Structure formats: structure tokens, C-alpha cells
Amino acid sequence: MFKRIADLKADDNVGKTVVLKGWIHRLRKQKQKTFIILRDDRGDIIQVVCPSRLCEDLTIESSIEITGPLNRDSRAPEDGYEVKAERIVSFNIAETDYPIGEYQSEETLLDYRHLSLRTRKMINVGRVRNSLLKYSRDWFYAENWMEITPPILVKSAVEGGSTLFKVKYFDDVAFLSQSSQLYLESMIYCLGPVWSITPSFRAEKSRTIRHLAEFTHLEAEAPWITIDDLISIQEKLVFNLVEKIKENNTAELDFLNTTSKIKLERISIPFEKISYDKAIDILRSKDCKIKDGDTNRVIEWGDDLNIESERELTKDRYNPIFVINYPLGIKPFYVKQSDVDSKTGMAVDLLAPEGYGEISGGGIREDNLEKLKNRITESKLEPKDYQWYLDLRKYGSVPHGGFGLGMERVLRWILGFEDIKDVVLFPRTMSRITP
Ligand code: AMO
């Protein structure tokens, strides 16, 4: 019977004839014997030894079915299991110029991403991505949040006009969604706490190691919650994701980065909360600079926290931190003005430790119709594009809030990768849209 490699590696199966389907991951032909590392459709590998006369036409990435007994041989890679092939059937003999070998530049691997996804690194990344999605969904389901599927083609900007992707929409213009937040907000009136996971798009003009033009966005919104509730929800969610991945993805974590498990062990809740004011004090005490036109100057109240300042705030920490109460002026139109300090907004960002920086942004939404209208105008957005959104404040407005978590940012941090492109299957950046 056809089995997967993971099911087959058991001492009870030794001596039994097995049938395996897969691809030739590595191939070493000798005069009498040929050694194949076979990769199955789940990315697991096993050594196959076969008489060279059965392997004459085989090439790297040929797809084959092999039949033969399972043996134990301590020389076999990974866990010492090996199949002695007695019969090989090929589905496809791959062309001999397979472009992915052992040593390739990062750019070449990205150019051939459709093929380099078959490398051990990307197989392991794919598995952790799958876990992150599954454990997120499990968590929301267990906590009784409803999953919704918001539109991707939209008419209104959420995160400012400068990163919008414009698309032709019949005889009109539309945009690719930057965030599903406004649609999630519409749903709290009829489905209660809701969440979604969608691609979000940002025409990011900068090439950075943490920005993508298309990323996987987990967003959540709930009625009648306070900023403390919002913090506690994110804390529980993120901690749960870390715990589950640590428990269930040990093999992948060990393969991808030997230090990630140790760092995940150190994470505990509650995460520290600091105000934006305190963050600025810390950064100023370290003489942290930001770019202002052509010059660099010391950061001051009212500046946004850039990559460098987030790195400075988190580089010596093991635990994520929340930064709360940002100046209203640097946050989008929907952020609620604080009742105690009109200059600040009830926004909260979650920063990952060890310099990784922002992984989530959120806050309480402005629920006052007049203030929201003013903020839309001040932000130089078109009020007519937000009529439907303003209706939400006209008909039964309630205090509410939510957040957006960037899944690739979370993965980059958990896996300890430098470049965000390494945690996406098909990265989209300013300079890359294929494959
Ligand atoms: P924000 O713009 O901060 O907030 O985005 C939320 C989270 O999404 C991730 N993210 C990105 N990941 C990769 N590449 C990008 N270009 C990129 N841009 C953002 C980050 C970020 O923390 N609607 C609000 C959230 C809210 O208030 O609910 C929003 O989208 O991890």
C-alpha cells in the first residue's frame, strides 16, 4: 500500500514491503548501487537504495513510485531508515537542468520560488505557517469569535492614501484592501466579536526587511471593549500561538533556527505595557535619531516610532511589549481621541522582542460622528468614500475596538529570520511580483 514517509518510519514496519510515491530530492549514482533521497508530498525524506540498472534514466526531481522492503541502517540520514527498492516506476523524468542545487544566491532562490519551495528550509517554513493559521483559527473558535470574509476590492483607504494599490474596476477605480477593519467594524452590530484572515496590500515604496506589498492579515473587532480588554485579548492570542508552535513544531523550529525554541521558552504573560510618552523618554535617553528631511535629529514627542526606534525599545527583551496612547496626529482617522488627554489617541501597538518590532496595531475606534467626520477631512480623505462607514456611527454606534496582526511579522520573529521574504511562500515586494 502507498504510505507517507512519516507513517512508515516505525520499527514495526522494518522488513515489510512498502510502496512510496515522491520526488528525487538527492541522487548519487554509483556503479552497482544508486542512493536516492526520496521526498514525499508532505516534504518528508527517506533514503532509498536501489540497483543502478533500475535508475539509469532518473534525474533530480523526477517523480517516482518505489516498492521494496524497509530496513534499518544507521548510515541512512536523519533517523536511520532506508528502503531497498526492488521496483521503480516513474511518473515524470525531470529535465536535467533543474535550477535549484545546494548553493544558490538568495535572488536565484526567489526567482525560482515555485521550485525552491521544495527545499527543506521552505518546507519547514510552510509547515510553521500552516500551524500559525490553524492555531489562530482554533483560538478564535474556542473563544467564540465569528470568522468573516470581508471584500478585498474596496473603495475606501484605511491606512492612508500613500500605500494604496489602484485597480481598474469596470469603468471606475477601486483599491486593493489595506485592512479589513472597516468591514469588521460593520459586523460587530450583528455578529458580535468577529475576526478575519485575508491578504492585505500596501504599495510600500521602501525596501525593508519587514515590509511586503501583500501580507497575511489577521484582524479582529469587538463591541463594548476597553483598551485593557484589547491588550488582554492580544496577549492571550499571541501567547497561545507561541505555546502551540513551541509544543507542536519542535522539529521545524530545530531545523530552521536552533535558538528559536529557547527564546520561545522565555516568553511569559503578562507582557509589559509602556506609554508612548515613556517610549519617547527611553529613546531620547539613548539619543535615538530619526530622519527629518535630509537631516537626522533626536526623536521627540509627536514622531512616529520607526524601525530603528522599535529595535532600540525591544532589542534587550525576551518578551513582547505593548506601547499605548500614541499622539493622535500620527495615527489614522479612526483612532479614538483620549478622554483624558485630547492630544493622544487610544491606540496600542504590540512590539516583538529582540529588535523585531511591531507585529500588531490596534485600538479603540472613534465612535463620535462629528469627530470622525473631522478626522476624515483632516486626513485629506474623501468624505463621500466613507458615507457607509459614517452610517455605522449614525445608527446605533457603540464603543468598540480591534487590532490587526501581521502573520509574516509574527513568523519572522518566532523563527528568528532577518528578512520577511523568507517566511512567505510567494513574496510580493516593490521589485518582485513573479513567480
Ligand atoms: P497596521 O497598518 O499597523 O494597522 O497593520 C497591522 C499589522 O499588519 C502588519 N503589516 C505588515 N506586514 C508586512 N508588510 C507590510 N507592509 C505591513 N503593513 C502592516 C504589521 C502591523 O502591525 N487597521 C489597522 C489595525 C487596527 O487598528 O485594527 C492596521 O491595518 O504586523
Side-chain angles (χ1 to χ4, degrees), residues 28-72:
R28 185 156 53 88
K29 289 185 180 171
Q30 294 177 353
K31 208 159 176 215
Q32 301 294 331
K33 280 194 214 164
T34 292
F35 293 86
I36 294 171
I37 300 292
L38 188 80
R39 189 187 71 244
D40 73 6
D41 62 342
R42 288 285 196 223
D44 286 310
I45 56 169
I46 193 166
Q47 176 160 289
V48 176
V49 192
C50 45
S52 288
R53 67 185 156 74
L54 298 183
C55 306
E56 272 159 20
D57 55 349
L58 296 185
T59 53
I60 291 285
E61 288 304 317
S62 292
S63 45
I64 57 172
E65 179 185 279
I66 62 127
T67 309
L70 179 74
N71 286 334
R72 263 281 195 197

Side-chain angles (χ1 to χ4, degrees), residues 79-243:
D79 30 23
Y81 289 98
E82 171 183 276
V83 180
K84 287 216 178 311
E86 291 168 350
R87 182 166 176 267
I88 298 187
V89 179
S90 58
F91 300 98
N92 170 261
I93 297 297
E95 297 190 11
T96 50
D97 55 352
Y98 187 65
I100 311 293
E102 271 179 62
Y103 307 102
Q104 244 88 46
S105 70
E106 287 302 316
E107 278 308 296
T108 308
L109 290 172
L110 285 167
D111 289 342
Y112 287 101
R113 191 60 146 216
H114 51 297
L115 300 176
S116 64
L117 287 171
R118 303 176 192 186
T119 57
R120 306 279 293 146
K121 175 178 173 184
M122 289 313 297
I123 289 167
N124 281 289
V125 168
R127 289 175 178 172
V128 183
R129 275 188 75 92
N130 170 62
S131 294
L132 190 67
L133 296 172
K134 173 183 159 33
Y135 300 138
S136 304
R137 187 162 270 123
D138 288 352
W139 189 85
F140 278 108
Y141 192 78
E143 297 285 317
N144 203 15
W145 291 64
M146 292 249 200
E147 183 171 4
I148 66 154
T149 52
I152 298 300
L153 283 169
V154 297
K155 228 11 208 165
S156 1
V158 189
E159 302 302 319
S162 66
T163 61
L164 277 175
F165 275 111
K166 209 189 253 187
V167 290
K168 186 170 169 350
Y169 190 71
F170 302 101
D171 293 330
D172 198 356
V173 167
F175 306 107
L176 296 180
S177 167
Q178 297 169 308
S179 159
S180 301
Q181 180 195 319
L182 309 190
Y183 294 94
L184 287 162
E185 284 188 60
S186 319
M187 300 307 296
I188 60 160
Y189 300 80
C190 45
L191 291 182
V194 283
W195 76 287
S196 62
I197 189 141
T198 60
S200 277
F201 301 86
R202 308 277 170 100
E204 301 280 359
K205 304 265 162 39
S206 52
R207 287 168 215 256
T208 80
I209 50 173
R210 63 175 204 171
H211 286 96
L212 293 163
E214 176 177 347
F215 67 96
T216 315
H217 208 172
L218 184 160
E219 293 178 270
E221 196 74 29
W224 292 294
I225 58 171
T226 63
I227 197 120
D228 289 339
D229 298 332
L230 201 56
I231 287 175
S232 147
I233 292 162
Q234 293 186 71
E235 199 168 63
K236 281 194 241 157
L237 169 67
V238 170
F239 185 66
N240 181 268
L241 293 176
V242 165
E243 287 283 288

Side-chain angles (χ1 to χ4, degrees), residues 278-322:
K278 176 156 181 214
I280 292 294
D281 287 346
I282 297 173
L283 294 169
R284 285 179 67 81
S285 72
K286 295 184 176 183
D287 208 25
C288 195
K289 305 264 193 327
I290 62 148
K291 219 171 162 40
D292 189 354
D294 291 337
T295 56
N296 283 333
R297 61 162 172 80
V298 176
I299 193 163
E300 58 190 46
W301 200 95
D303 291 325
D304 210 352
L305 302 183
N306 60 10
I307 297 186
E308 290 73 29
S309 41
E310 288 181 4
R311 189 178 298 135
E312 197 55 46
L313 287 172
T314 61
K315 67 177 192 217
D316 301 323
R317 294 171 185 266
Y318 302 136
N319 250 359
I321 52 165
F322 287 103

